[in-house]
Amino acid sequence: MCKSEIFAELLDAVTKETEISKELILSECKKSDVVDARSILVKLLSDKGFYPTQIAEMMNKKYHTIKKILKCYPVRELNCKMLSTYLERINNHMLTN
């Protein structure tokens, strides 16, 4: 599977699990639920081995934005317990497909 297919598959999974549209996840929206969904996508891509520069390019974001999301993810996860649940469900879904 190529990088763009992995990205599309993970974006679809995050969209379905969080019920946040792809357009919003990839937008500049700062609403908490949208930022949470975006953070999950970045975390999943990073866990799959994508470099922050690759993630930034795919999401049309700046490198430092992706680095900040990755750095702040543990704090977001502590403040929003649903992030762990979403991440676990998406990982389980990806393993079964």
Side-chain angles (χ1 to χ4, degrees):
M1 188 179 301
C2 68
K3 291 185 281 188
S4 60
E5 290 173 339
I6 294 169
F7 176 78
E9 190 174 329
L10 288 173
L11 180 57
D12 284 341
V14 172
T15 297
K16 287 176 188 166
E17 190 63 41
T18 62
E19 299 179 340
I20 306 291
S21 73
K22 295 175 188 178
E23 294 78 20
L24 274 176
I25 291 171
L26 298 175
S27 75
E28 298 297 322
C29 181
K30 303 285 192 224
K31 287 178 52 181
S32 293
D33 56 341
V34 176
V35 175
D36 287 345
R38 189 177 303 126
S39 298
I40 292 168
L41 177 61
V42 170
K43 173 78 168 125
L44 287 166
L45 289 166
S46 179
D47 289 350
K48 288 283 185 188
F50 286 77
Y51 294 112
T53 52
Q54 294 172 314
I55 298 169
E57 186 177 312
M58 288 183 205
M59 293 181 68
N60 198 27
K61 303 285 182 208
K62 293 183 178 173
Y63 169 79
H64 74 272
T65 301
I66 301 304
K67 290 294 285 182
K68 182 178 178 183
I69 290 171
L70 288 169
K71 181 181 176 186
C72 296
Y73 186 84
V75 175
R76 286 199 82 78
E77 195 172 36
L78 285 174
N79 292 327
C80 178
K81 300 300 181 190
M82 280 304 293
L83 264 93
S84 300
T85 304
Y86 289 146
L87 195 63
E88 184 178 330
R89 287 181 186 170
I90 292 167
N91 279 324
N92 288 340
H93 173 76
M94 300 304 283
L95 287 174
T96 59
N97 288 339

